[in-house]
Amino acid sequence: MREINTKDIEEAVKNLCIQANLELSPEMQRCINEAKDKETNPLAVSILEQLQENMNIAKSDRIPICQDTGMAVFFVELGQEVHIVGGELTEAINNGVKQGYEEGYLRKSVVSDPLIRENTKDNTPAIIHYDIVAGDKLKITIAPKGFGSENMSKLVMLKPADGVEGVKKVVIDAAKNAGPNACPPFVLGVGIGGDFEQVAKLSKKALTREPGSHNPLPHIAELEEELLVEINSLGIGPAGLGGNSTALAVNIETYPTHIAGLPVAVNMCCHVDRHRSVVI
């Protein structure tokens, strides 16, 4: 049994919060560079260049890429041979969020009650998804989620008879309805299967996958490519001002489902698609 102290977890989470919000991940930098090289609309090229400049300034001046530094969402893989010492794991993650958002001068956007709307002033509590896995490691992935794109997300309980064409319609309609509000060029995380809550989790987790990678199932990988082409043909473009760079990636995750259902969720994410991981 391997012991991991909560103080090490707090420090790791603090650094993840700051890094994810101040530095665009290398894979997202590559996606935006490739989108600019392929773009044919001069205005869209100009906007993509401005996005690149903004990200370079954020990294060099140590300021957030976006003013909405998001609600802190975590995917945690806890090895079954790990013993957490010095405190409780969820508390340690939330303490790390408090420290990261304070020391990183990140906007605190969480309210304690969805109706009373009083700010918690430290961006906690975080949303944490746990998976128990084999081994003696602790993997923590953060995905700070701004609500400009989050608000444009969609969940639909299709009938099995709707099939793949029904799934395509849900995803494409979500992109159309998002338009400029999701800060395109966006990344679409898509969940298919499971049940009502599982499909939403699948769609959020899909956003943490490297853009440009594909689902290992051939028919799902083919669907990802087809949807990306169709969404980019909508002409929404960067900032919604036209162009063929509406989406940078469509990432799909699936899960077995009930014979009577076909759940589909689309989690929209802006062009930065912030996510970082650490293994302790």
Side-chain angles (χ1 to χ4, degrees):
M1 185 68 68
R2 176 169 173 257
E3 293 186 347
I4 298 179
N5 195 286
T6 53
K7 291 299 180 185
D8 295 327
I9 296 169
E10 289 179 17
E11 183 69 16
V13 169
K14 178 189 78 172
N15 291 333
L16 282 176
C17 290
I18 295 172
Q19 186 182 36
N21 275 295
L22 271 56
E23 298 180 22
L24 191 69
S25 63
E27 60 265 27
M28 290 311 301
Q29 287 181 359
R30 174 178 50 78
C31 277
I32 293 175
N33 291 342
E34 290 175 355
K36 191 192 78 171
D37 292 340
K38 295 176 182 177
E39 183 56 66
T40 57
N41 183 312
L43 178 57
V45 171
S46 175
I47 293 169
L48 290 168
E49 288 174 344
Q50 291 176 50
L51 296 180
Q52 290 175 319
E53 182 182 8
N54 173 65
M55 291 160 199
N56 290 334
I57 292 171
K59 183 177 181 179
S60 62
D61 291 1
R62 308 304 294 166
I63 57 177
I65 298 169
C66 174
Q67 83 280 0
D68 185 351
T69 51
M71 196 166 189
V73 179
F74 291 90
F75 291 93
V76 178
E77 296 179 11
L78 177 63
Q80 60 186 4
E81 301 302 321
V82 171
H83 180 214
I84 305 297
V85 297
E88 197 267 328
L89 178 55
T90 297
E91 183 180 10
I93 292 173
N94 278 312
N95 284 339
V97 172
K98 292 177 184 178
Q99 296 167 26
Y101 275 73
E102 184 65 30
E103 294 182 27
Y105 301 99
L106 308 176
R107 193 180 83 184
K108 291 85 171 177
S109 303
V110 175
V111 294
S112 57
D113 185 284
L115 298 180
I116 297 174
R117 314 297 293 180
E118 182 179 352
N119 198 298
T120 64
K121 298 181 173 61
D122 58 17
N123 221 55
T124 66
I127 294 174
I128 310 170
H129 303 286
Y130 289 107
D131 283 311
I132 306 299
V133 299
D136 63 355
K137 299 288 193 298
L138 174 65
K139 181 179 180 181
I140 303 173
T141 299
I142 186 174
K145 198 64 167 61
F147 265 56
S149 58
E150 187 77 354
N151 285 337
M152 304 311 298
S153 300
K154 187 174 186 178
L155 192 158
V156 180
M157 303 299 289
L158 294 177
K159 301 183 295 295
D162 292 320
V164 68
E165 293 305 317
V167 172
K168 291 178 189 177
K169 186 176 187 307
V170 169
V171 177
I172 293 169
D173 284 351
K176 286 180 181 177
N177 292 335
N181 296 314
C183 299
F186 34 64
V187 178
L188 295 88
V190 180
I192 306 174
D195 63 358
F196 185 82
E197 83 275 5
Q198 175 72 2
V199 76
K201 178 182 173 182
L202 286 172
S203 68
K204 182 64 64 71
K205 191 170 185 180
L207 292 173
T208 67
R209 207 179 79 207
E210 181 178 347
S213 65
H214 285 297
N215 190 292
L217 297 172
H219 67 291
I220 300 299
E222 183 180 342
L223 182 58
E224 289 174 333
E225 292 181 342
E226 181 181 346
L227 284 168
L228 182 60
V229 171
E230 291 198 33
I231 291 168
N232 280 329
S233 71
L234 295 175
I236 296 169
L241 296 175
N244 50 33
S245 305
T246 298
L248 298 173
V250 177
N251 291 352
I252 303 176
E253 296 296 323
T254 66
Y255 197 84
T257 191
H258 190 278
I259 56 172
L262 180 56
V264 181
V266 183
N267 196 203
M268 305 296 302
C269 192
C270 66
H271 56 273
V272 293
D273 190 15
R274 294 165 291 192
H275 58 276
R276 292 279 176 159
S277 298
V278 66
V279 178
I280 302 174

